Amino acid sequence: MRRKLVSANWKMNGSRAANAAWLAEFDGRDLACDVVVCAPYVYLPQVIEGLRGGETGAQNLSAEAPGAFTGEIAGEMLLDLGCRWAIVGHSERRAFYGESNDVIAAKAARAIGLGLRPIVCVGETLAEREAGRTQAVIDAQLDAVLARCTPTQLLAGAVAYEPVWAIGTGKTASPAQVQEVHAAIRARLARVNGAAAAQLRLLYGGSVKPANAFELFTQPDVDGGLIGGASLQARDFRAICETACEAAR
Ligand code: PGA
């Protein structure tokens, strides 16, 4: 049985005051699921210090080792702070910052090599889905990662399926659509290593809310979620975490 994992992705949101209020409200210590909060780099120390019942993640990391890369953040620095996780290849990184499948794979490999747990994101755009290319796009994204990391190594983290058309749009993929893609992702990984594929946690992300989380999290291949907008309210994020626990029962 895979333990559910719910991760907040605050994206480029927050302030010291807003984060303090969030951290004062959220308490995950009694939750029977794993909780991660991925905050902007500059707020990581605040979250690491104040988060009760969860681990802290970054939203990105450099593919490079420390050195002459102005403005970048190395995985070593994240670990040095006590940050345990990092989102890798979020669609906003792919779309707005030109991160290729190969760069993302390099970041995932670098994170794993350092002992930082990657949440590797994959997903298709609306145009790709409408052109019937969903699986081909996701396969290419996964294959790039599998060229550098084994499924066993990926077990340290998770893979998140985030259809681009469902992120921040209020349009959630239907539970059946999500299950279909998750099953295909697991099958792809199983071609390399069946045992690891069976254990790897696959998260869904894209307009998850307290109201729709249960039907998503009860799909057989959905092991939790990556939560953007709804994670900005501690109460909503907590409700989604509780739903993940309930879905596991
Ligand atoms: P959303 O974002 O929940 O606001 O759709 C999810 C994500 O991008 O991780």
Side-chain angles (χ1 to χ4, degrees), residues 34 82 145 184-186 193 236:
D34 294 330
V145 174
I185 292 172
R186 205 178 294 288
N193 183 330
D236 287 350

Short mmCIF file of all heavy atoms in Angstrom, two decimals, residues 34 82 145 184-186 193 236:
data_model
loop_
_atom_site.label_atom_id
_atom_site.label_comp_id
_atom_site.label_asym_id
_atom_site.label_seq_id
_atom_site.Cartn_x
_atom_site.Cartn_y
_atom_site.Cartn_z
N ASP A 34 1.69 11.76 4.22
CA ASP A 34 2.89 12.60 4.21
C ASP A 34 2.52 13.97 3.66
O ASP A 34 1.76 14.07 2.68
CB ASP A 34 3.98 11.95 3.35
CG ASP A 34 4.49 10.66 3.98
OD1 ASP A 34 4.47 10.56 5.22
OD2 ASP A 34 4.88 9.75 3.23
N GLY A 82 17.89 22.46 5.45
CA GLY A 82 16.96 21.50 6.04
C GLY A 82 15.76 21.25 5.15
O GLY A 82 14.76 20.67 5.57
N VAL A 145 13.63 11.52 -18.16
CA VAL A 145 14.01 11.30 -16.75
C VAL A 145 14.58 9.89 -16.58
O VAL A 145 15.59 9.70 -15.89
CB VAL A 145 12.78 11.54 -15.83
CG1 VAL A 145 13.10 11.18 -14.39
CG2 VAL A 145 12.34 13.00 -15.92
N ALA A 184 -1.11 4.72 -17.15
CA ALA A 184 -0.15 4.67 -18.27
C ALA A 184 1.25 5.04 -17.79
O ALA A 184 2.25 4.46 -18.24
CB ALA A 184 -0.62 5.60 -19.39
N ILE A 185 1.34 6.01 -16.89
CA ILE A 185 2.66 6.38 -16.34
C ILE A 185 3.24 5.19 -15.58
O ILE A 185 4.41 4.83 -15.75
CB ILE A 185 2.54 7.62 -15.41
CG1 ILE A 185 2.16 8.86 -16.21
CG2 ILE A 185 3.84 7.83 -14.62
CD1 ILE A 185 1.83 10.09 -15.36
N ARG A 186 2.41 4.56 -14.78
CA ARG A 186 2.91 3.41 -14.00
C ARG A 186 3.34 2.28 -14.94
O ARG A 186 4.37 1.63 -14.72
CB ARG A 186 1.85 2.95 -12.99
CG ARG A 186 2.47 2.22 -11.81
CD ARG A 186 1.46 1.79 -10.75
NE ARG A 186 0.77 2.84 -10.04
CZ ARG A 186 1.32 3.63 -9.11
NH1 ARG A 186 2.59 3.50 -8.80
NH2 ARG A 186 0.60 4.57 -8.50
N ASN A 193 11.07 -1.28 -14.45
CA ASN A 193 11.18 -1.97 -13.16
C ASN A 193 9.78 -2.07 -12.53
O ASN A 193 9.27 -1.08 -11.99
CB ASN A 193 12.14 -1.20 -12.24
CG ASN A 193 12.35 -1.91 -10.91
OD1 ASN A 193 11.47 -2.60 -10.41
ND2 ASN A 193 13.52 -1.72 -10.32
N ASP A 236 -7.97 25.05 3.75
CA ASP A 236 -8.28 24.23 2.57
C ASP A 236 -7.22 23.15 2.37
O ASP A 236 -7.52 22.01 2.03
CB ASP A 236 -8.35 25.11 1.31
CG ASP A 236 -9.61 25.95 1.27
OD1 ASP A 236 -10.51 25.71 2.11
OD2 ASP A 236 -9.69 26.86 0.43
#
